[in-house]
């Protein structure tokens, strides 16, 4: 079993300001940076100053300047944020983020000392057409293109099958284990970098976390929907972070 797992809560575009204040009141007791919250960017300042980590859901590929509506990794780093998600399937789909753009974002984040959670995963159709390996390989190679070994030390890969996000469907432990092994192998082969940490994400909840936590080579979890319910999230954290 992997030690020092992390749990990343992706709150997405949820909760009003009032709800956020109640939420923060409940999570402020968390005393470890191995739990990282990624709220809507608008609410980030309210999450700062406690002992958990804070990350950002989305950053620009640009560093500074006339880019209306965007937030840079330089700005995020200067606020004390520890990581950024990049390549989430919702951004790939709704914002039409390309592999090249994702690669630029990864580079911008690392240059500005933000750790990266690179999200990858296949759609249901791709899985049914037996294209999972091909898709994951393509996503990894393009996103990490041109990174130094020093840069790779600050990258986690989150394996999030698109068909498992918010659907209550999850792959078997065996499937996830095999996929994580495959992801590590691709990074070893193409970037000469061993044992990149890989997280699992997709429909994690308080009922399936015990079983998911048995996955041998998994470095932690990216949690969406269940992170909105503090009780659910606390159970996930308790299981995932126990030594
Ligand atoms: C996600 O979108 O990153 C995610 C894991 O969502 P959910 O937990 O809701 O499936």
């Amino acid at each position: 079993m992997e030690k020092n797992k992390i749990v990343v809560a992706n709150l997405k575009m949820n909760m009003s300001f009032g709800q956020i204040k109640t939420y923060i009141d409940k999570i402020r007791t968390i005393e470890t940076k191995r739990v990282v919250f990624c709220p809507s960017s608008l609410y980030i300042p309210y999450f700062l100053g406690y002992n958990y980590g804070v990350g950002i859901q989305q950053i620009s590929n640009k560093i500074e300047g006339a880019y209306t509506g965007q937030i840079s990794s330089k700005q995020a780093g200067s606020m004390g944020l520890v990581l950024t998600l990049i390549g989430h399937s919702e951004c790939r789909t709704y914002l039409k983020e390309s592999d090249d753009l994702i690669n630029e974002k990864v580079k911008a984040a690392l240059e500005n000392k933000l750790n990266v959670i690179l999200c990858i995963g296949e759609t249901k159709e791709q899985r049914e057409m037996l294209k999972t390996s091909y898709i994951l390989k393509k996503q990894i190679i393009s996103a990490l293109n041109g990174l130094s070994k020093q840069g790779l030390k600050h990258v986690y890969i989150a394996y999030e099958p698109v068909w498992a996000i918010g659907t209550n469907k999850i792959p078997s432990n065996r499937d996830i284990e095999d996929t994580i092994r495959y992801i590590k192998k691709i990074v070893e082969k193409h970037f000469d970098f061993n044992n990149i940490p890989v997280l699992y994400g997709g429909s994690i909840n308080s009922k399936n976390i015990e079983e998911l936590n048995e996955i041998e080579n998994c470095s932690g979890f990216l949690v969406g929907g269940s992170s909105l319910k503090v009780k659910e999230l606390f159970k996930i954290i308790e299981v995932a972070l126990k030594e």
Side-chain angles (χ1 to χ4, degrees):
M1 195 90 68
E2 295 263 328
K3 279 194 167 166
N4 299 326
K5 286 183 185 158
I6 62 170
V7 173
V8 181
N10 176 11
L11 304 183
K12 308 194 184 184
M13 197 176 70
N14 287 300
M15 293 194 267
S16 65
F17 186 39
Q19 289 169 319
I20 280 291
K21 284 194 276 191
T22 311
Y23 184 89
I24 293 171
D25 252 3
K26 293 181 185 159
I27 60 156
R28 63 200 304 165
T29 52
I30 295 174
E31 289 283 343
T32 172
K33 299 279 183 210
R34 285 164 60 200
V35 176
V36 180
F37 289 89
C38 299
S40 268
S41 298
L42 192 59
Y43 300 142
I44 283 174
Y46 301 93
F47 279 76
L48 294 170
Y50 302 105
N51 290 327
Y52 50 73
V54 183
I56 187 162
Q57 296 174 18
Q58 197 23 315
I59 50 135
S60 174
N61 57 328
K62 307 291 185 198
I63 305 298
E64 195 151 33
Y67 299 101
T68 302
Q70 301 203 41
I71 296 175
S72 77
S73 45
K74 189 174 173 188
Q75 292 172 318
S78 74
M79 295 277 292
L81 304 192
V82 293
L83 62 79
T84 177
L85 306 182
I86 296 180
H88 193 284
S89 66
E90 287 154 12
C91 304
R92 291 181 194 257
T93 306
Y94 304 133
L95 303 178
K96 313 238 176 305
E97 289 192 352
S98 67
D99 286 338
D100 285 347
L101 180 66
I102 288 167
N103 178 242
E104 287 176 18
K105 288 186 177 206
V106 170
K107 287 177 175 159
L110 295 174
E111 271 163 30
N112 287 287
K113 316 254 176 306
L114 272 188
N115 294 295
V116 168
I117 303 225
L118 171 69
C119 303
I120 61 169
E122 81 286 1
T123 63
K124 182 168 171 281
E125 292 71 29
Q126 289 163 341
R127 188 177 186 86
E128 284 168 358
M129 288 168 74
L130 305 180
K131 284 188 166 169
T132 301
S133 306
Y134 166 78
I135 294 295
L136 298 183
K137 182 174 168 184
K138 184 167 164 289
Q139 289 176 338
I140 295 167
I141 292 178
S142 57
L144 303 184
N145 184 30
L147 296 198
S148 66
K149 281 206 172 143
Q150 191 50 37
L152 285 164
K153 283 186 188 159
H154 298 279
V155 177
Y156 286 80
I157 295 182
Y159 172 52
E160 299 207 295
V162 179
W163 54 271
I165 294 180
T167 57
N168 269 329
K169 292 188 185 124
I170 51 171
S172 67
N173 274 17
R174 177 75 193 278
D175 252 6
I176 299 173
E177 242 163 47
D178 287 350
T179 307
I180 293 178
R181 202 169 302 118
Y182 175 71
I183 291 169
K184 286 177 186 281
K185 214 173 76 190
I186 294 295
V187 178
E188 268 164 37
K189 186 168 163 208
H190 292 268
F191 299 94
D192 191 23
F193 186 85
N194 290 337
N195 209 16
I196 195 152
V198 183
L199 314 179
Y200 170 74
S203 291
I204 299 167
N205 60 42
S206 60
K207 293 196 183 69
N208 59 28
I209 186 62
E210 302 265 8
E211 189 177 345
L212 286 167
N213 200 45
E214 294 297 315
I215 296 170
E216 276 299 320
N217 47 9
C218 180
S219 294
F221 301 101
L222 179 51
V223 186
S226 294
S227 65
L228 302 177
K229 299 171 214 135
V230 174
K231 253 189 170 170
E232 280 280 298
L233 181 66
F234 272 46
K235 172 71 182 175
I236 292 167
I237 293 170
E238 181 198 318
V239 174
L241 300 197
K242 75 173 177 260
E243 297 303 334

